[in-house]
Each structure stands twice: as C-alpha cells, then as structure tokens.
C-alpha cells in the first residue's frame, strides 16, 4: 500500500506499522501504485497540477519519471497476474482515460505503446477500479467523473 504523509510517498508493509519512503520533495495530492515482479515500486501521482508516472526501467537500470499529458484523467495501475506460473507474461499495467478513449500501456513494452481498451461510453467517466478479476481477466469499473471526489 502506498500513502502520502507530508511531502513524501511511503510504501507500507501490510499488517505492520513499517513504512518506507519511496519519493519525496513534492506537494503530492494523490498516489496509486503497484510493484513489479522485482518489487520495484511503480507509481502514478498527482503533484503541481499534473499526473506523473514513476517506474523502474530495466533497460537503462534507473527510475524514470514521465509527466502525463494534461488530457489524461484517472490514471490507475495494477500488476495483472501474480501467480507463479504467470511469471513470463505478467505485467504492470498503466491505464487512464485520454480524451474519449480508455488507454492502457504495458511494462513489457516499457510503457511506450498505447493500446485502446474502449471508446464508447468513455466521455465524462473516470476509472474507479482496475485490476485482475477472478476469471483472470482485466476489468475496469468506470463511473461519472468527479462523482467520488470532494
């Protein structure tokens, strides 16, 4: 689990009080995250009126921070198939709404390719939940934009 405290994003170990700093130095407003197969944190956070995507690039062997364009909304992340037998094809997946399209990007592509998951009924929506369902399929839950925000 990731959470914001002050100007730092922390990772918390489940069922303990232990926490570890991941990023600091910005006025973070929102964070969603996951871990890749090597337990590197993968984050999307909102700071300075923009969404940023933070992940570990195994090609360059360093963390990359990418500012997402201003037309991106409700970005979410998940590590899709965590089963041991899925080791060779599991991915961390970044998804978001851009304009009127539901987009996703895969870690295996170094998050460089945009795939369209849907185009109908997307306008005016935001991603509420995203992840692998019991049938081992990715599932998005969309609802009216800003319905759940204060």
């Amino acid at each position: 689990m990731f959470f914001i405290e002050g100007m730092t994003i922390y990772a918390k170990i489940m069922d303990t009080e232990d926490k570890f700093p991941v990023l600091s130095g910005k006025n973070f407003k929102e964070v969603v995250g996951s871990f890749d197969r090597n337990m590197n944190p993968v984050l999307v956070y909102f700071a300075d009126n923009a969404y940023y995507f933070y992940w570990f690039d195994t090609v360059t062997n360093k963390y990359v921070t990418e500012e997402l364009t201003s037309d991106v909304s409700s970005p979410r992340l998940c590590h899709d198939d965590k089963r041991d037998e899925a080791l060779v094809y599991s991915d961390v997946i970044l998804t978001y709404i851009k304009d009127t399209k539901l987009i996703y990007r895969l870690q295996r592509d170094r998050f460089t390719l945009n795939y369209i998951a849907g185009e109908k009924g997307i306008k005016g929506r935001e991603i509420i939940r995203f992840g692998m369902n019991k049938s081992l399929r990715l599932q998005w839950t969309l609802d009216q934009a800003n319905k759940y925000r204060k």
Side-chain angles (χ1 to χ4, degrees), residues 102-119:
L102 181 60
I103 305 290
Y104 67 95
R105 293 165 35 182
L106 304 173
Q107 184 180 22
R108 74 181 68 202
D109 299 328
R110 296 179 62 229
F111 300 106
T112 58
L113 301 177
N114 291 327
Y115 297 96
I116 299 172
E119 294 184 73

Side-chain angles (χ1 to χ4, degrees), residues 76-143:
R76 300 290 182 262
L77 289 166
C78 84
H79 185 163
D80 61 355
D81 197 342
K82 299 169 196 73
R83 298 174 303 154
D84 288 339
E85 58 267 26
L87 178 64
V88 296
Y89 55 81
S90 69
D91 265 317
V92 173
I93 300 167
L94 166 67
T95 189
Y96 49 82
I97 293 174
K98 183 173 182 170
D99 298 322
T100 59
K101 294 182 173 105
L102 181 60
I103 305 290
Y104 67 95
R105 293 165 35 182
L106 304 173
Q107 184 180 22
R108 74 181 68 202
D109 299 328
R110 296 179 62 229
F111 300 106
T112 58
L113 301 177
N114 291 327
Y115 297 96
I116 299 172
E119 294 184 73
K120 293 186 181 198
I122 305 300
K123 187 175 182 176
R125 306 273 182 194
E126 70 178 75
I127 303 168
I128 306 303
R129 285 185 297 273
F130 168 66
M132 182 74 82
N133 66 23
K134 290 180 181 178
S135 299
L136 302 177
R137 300 287 185 258
L138 287 176
Q139 184 171 344
W140 287 259
T141 301
L142 306 179
D143 206 343

Side-chain angles (χ1 to χ4, degrees), residues 6-19:
M7 292 184 68
T8 303
I9 295 174
Y10 290 92
K12 183 179 181 302
I13 298 175
M14 301 279 289
D15 302 322
T16 73
E17 296 302 315
D18 295 338
K19 63 182 183 180

